Amino acid sequence: MKGFTPLKLAAHFTSGAIGIRYYQIDKKRIDRRQLLSCCPVLPEEIQLSIESRQIEYLAGRYCAVQALRGLGMTAPLVGRHSDRSPRWPAGTYGSLSHTDNRVLACAGWQSEYTGFGIDIEKTVPQEMLPSLEQLVFSVADRQWINHSSELTLCQTATLLFSAKEAFYKFICPHICTYLDFTDVSVVAFNDGEFAVELHKNLGRDWYKGKVVSGKYHFDDEHVMTLIAEMSQP
């Protein structure tokens, strides 16, 4: 597809029976009309938005379709629920994310996975750190920011934010309830892997103290996070 450059992902991101795609996009080279086959009907607020926003939305759908094709599906479409979250084809879970020039999506079969959460963020600038610390980070998160030696301060802050975004996307199909950023803390991260802990009871299998593991990868100025939990046999 014109305007889409496939990018390589770290090996630990591509392990397992999932379809995953990652592209750099050049909005100036993308023909929006070509992407409409991935999303025949644009949501009203997207139709009314500027062309750049429309391209980002359609690029995310294109990336998601390619991830589903990685599972062997021939003509998949990704719709949208009333809460604006993606509606994946029956029998699948998936997740997608984008920045202004990158798109990332993954998908897998519900018979093999309990869900997915994927996120990509540009490393936050120094001036954004105070607002993130106030609105997003728990007391435990702040300890990581102040004591991490593996990453820069801005990289650490972006990773923590992205890990929480991935977790929210992961639980969304199971628990449709509002979560504050401080309802989850990152309790570990090292060598491409992280863990988040839930701080409130949400019912069913989502209890206070539950820990979910994920993966992360830095690509230039971007950080990517992925939660892909396999079903228990």
Side-chain angles (χ1 to χ4, degrees), residues 4-64:
F4 287 79
T5 302
L7 298 176
K8 187 176 181 179
L9 285 162
H12 69 296
F13 251 64
T14 57
S15 60
I18 67 174
I20 186 165
R21 296 294 185 271
Y22 177 38
Y23 298 98
Q24 179 175 320
I25 61 172
D26 183 347
K27 294 179 184 177
K28 293 181 180 179
R29 297 180 60 234
I30 291 175
D31 184 346
R32 186 179 64 86
R33 294 168 298 181
Q34 288 185 309
L35 295 176
L36 289 175
S37 61
C38 300
C39 184
V41 181
L42 282 175
E44 184 176 0
E45 79 274 9
I46 301 298
Q47 293 181 41
L48 297 174
S49 64
I50 61 175
E51 185 176 16
S52 177
R53 174 67 184 104
Q54 292 181 25
I55 290 175
E56 288 176 6
Y57 182 88
L58 289 167
R61 262 34 187 194
Y62 171 80
C63 190

Side-chain angles (χ1 to χ4, degrees), residues 15 19 21 26 37-38 53 62 85 91 98 103 111-112 118 121 131 143 147 155 160 163 172 174 191 217 226:
S15 60
R21 296 294 185 271
D26 183 347
S37 61
C38 300
R53 174 67 184 104
Y62 171 80
S85 63
H98 66 80
V103 287
S111 58
E112 298 175 352
I118 204 166
E121 303 288 341
S131 60
Q143 293 177 350
H147 296 94
Q155 285 178 324
L160 298 182
C172 183
H174 307 286
D191 196 26
H217 172 62
L226 168 67

